[in-house]
Amino acid sequence: MKRIIITAAVAALTLPATAHAHPGHPTTPTAPVVNPVYDDGWQQRAPIAGGPRQEHSVAAIGRHVYVVGGIRPDGSGGVVTVPDVEVYDTRADTWRKVAPLPVPMNHPNVVALGGKLYVLGGLSGGASWQALGDSFVYHPATDRWTALPPMPQGVERGSAAMGVHGTRVYLAGGMRTLTPGPGGLQDTVADVHSYDVLTRRWTTLPSLPEARDHVGGAFVGGTFYVLGGRDRGQINVRDTVYAFAGGRWTERAPMPTPRGGIASAVVGTKIYTFGGEGKVVNGVNTVFSETEAYDTRRNRWEKLAPMPIPRHGTAAVGVGDTIHIPGGGNRGGGAPMDVNDAYRPR
């Protein structure tokens, strides 16, 4: 394995701490929501207080779910990348704002570890979103972000599959460029790296068998799973499941429904996947409603009750025995919503 040692001082931030409008990224009006069915483990929770959000990330510290970055409508037919961070109290069913990211990001790579939030790069920019290497750690006790050494050159990307094991954060796949619109560049990568939060060292690991972005990721036991996703475009969805253990990747039982733009979370030894994008209906890119769970012990999948409001470009996290899924879009492309649902497996 190639080990990248970071010893340099923290670099200056590459973007100002202001929102970035993207007039070339039109929003798609959200689809009408007609009588969503909340049963079979689904619950409707308080909507995101700050309004619609999409292409964000989430992580949980205790009973609190943090919604980090993303995009929202800019009020003039486009979208804006935001630094906003909101916290959902899963017990009280309430929202509050905390200190924003120092740099606005969409598709940020976010995990919780040791009672802190780590953000290791993401995407932002103008008409074409580009990878940022800016990295930060958030301290809930002081409500402050601290800059970390940036990601090494060539490692930067957003929309990676994320996992945590011990003191190391794992990133698999992702994308370096996302240009929305027909024929827009989507630079998907197969790179895999880990970052040790104690030593602040990056390690290069064996690449994924195929490039992936907008993909599910999770550790169960000592194995890192990468599920579904897409390769260079919204409709180029994949059903593959890769598992990393013992320094190598192996292929596991495929997803019943190939999907990209999914949300994923762990309860027990199962990985639950929700929604996604790339379902082509009459030539139009639409959104999946599927909820499917992967049993890591038995290496098999099961289909579960669909999402009451199908979405993509969202994220999920387990708190106890319940999975929380705030935001996302219910039409292909940018269609941010403030929906906040919870799913409790039965």
Side-chain angles (χ1 to χ4, degrees):
M1 299 179 194
K2 178 182 177 185
R3 185 175 294 274
I4 305 170
I5 309 298
I6 298 176
T7 56
V10 176
L13 300 181
T14 58
L15 289 173
T18 56
H20 291 259
H22 311 289
H25 296 186
T27 54
T28 301
T30 55
V33 177
V34 181
N35 300 323
V37 177
Y38 285 88
D39 61 8
D40 293 326
W42 285 99
Q43 301 174 357
Q44 187 176 29
R45 298 294 182 90
I48 301 174
R53 194 89 69 92
Q54 186 181 330
E55 312 304 349
H56 53 284
S57 291
V58 302
I61 298 176
R63 71 174 195 261
H64 298 105
V65 174
Y66 289 74
V67 177
V68 181
I71 62 173
R72 68 183 181 210
D74 66 2
S76 59
V79 294
V80 59
T81 294
V82 297
D84 301 359
V85 180
E86 294 183 68
V87 185
Y88 175 66
D89 187 321
T90 60
R91 189 180 302 168
D93 193 29
T94 57
W95 289 88
R96 62 186 172 90
K97 287 188 175 182
V98 295
L101 277 169
V103 172
M105 292 185 188
N106 58 66
H107 300 82
N109 305 311
V110 180
V111 297
L113 177 58
K116 303 173 185 177
L117 290 183
Y118 288 84
V119 176
L120 304 176
L123 301 179
S124 195
S128 182
W129 293 330
Q130 303 294 326
L132 303 177
D134 302 89
S135 299
F136 309 96
V137 58
Y138 174 75
H139 308 266
T142 59
D143 189 30
R144 289 186 178 179
W145 291 92
T146 301
L148 297 171
M151 302 173 79
Q153 186 174 3
V155 174
E156 311 96 322
R157 75 265 205 181
S159 190
M162 302 294 291
V164 172
H165 188 60
T167 62
R168 298 172 75 181
V169 181
Y170 289 72
L171 297 83
M175 59 196 321
R176 291 175 294 208
T177 301
L178 195 166
T179 306
L185 176 62
Q186 300 199 25
D187 185 10
T188 308
V189 301
D191 300 344
V192 181
H193 297 87
S194 69
Y195 174 75
D196 192 306
V197 300
L198 295 183
T199 65
R200 296 191 175 186
R201 292 178 176 178
W202 285 90
T203 300
T204 299
L205 300 170
S207 297
L208 287 166
E210 294 181 352
R212 293 288 182 271
D213 65 74
H214 286 76
V215 61
F219 258 93
V220 178
T223 301
F224 184 30
Y225 295 89
V226 174
L227 310 95
R230 66 198 204 200
D231 184 3
R232 298 176 179 87
Q234 282 95 327
I235 64 173
N236 299 326
V237 295
R238 300 291 186 262
D239 63 359
T240 46
V241 176
Y242 299 121
F244 183 74
R248 66 188 186 96
W249 291 96
T250 57
E251 195 163 341
R252 299 294 176 88
M255 300 177 70
T257 309
R259 291 174 282 147
I262 63 174
S264 63
V266 174
V267 173
T269 58
K270 293 183 178 181
I271 305 173
Y272 294 81
T273 63
F274 303 92
E277 184 186 21
K279 180 179 182 179
V280 179
V281 179
N282 297 324
V284 177
N285 171 31
T286 69
V287 177
F288 290 94
S289 63
E290 275 78 1
T291 300
E292 297 168 345
Y294 176 65
D295 188 324
T296 60
R297 288 181 175 175
R298 297 188 173 108
N299 188 33
R300 68 184 187 189
W301 286 85
E302 60 180 320
K303 285 180 168 286
L304 302 168
M307 301 180 78
I309 301 175
R311 281 165 287 148
H312 75 102
T314 183
V317 65
V319 177
D321 61 359
T322 301
I323 297 169
H324 298 270
I325 313 163
N330 72 340
R331 277 185 171 163
M337 304 186 76
D338 63 1
V339 172
N340 177 31
D341 289 340
Y343 178 75
R344 184 176 181 181
R346 295 184 174 182

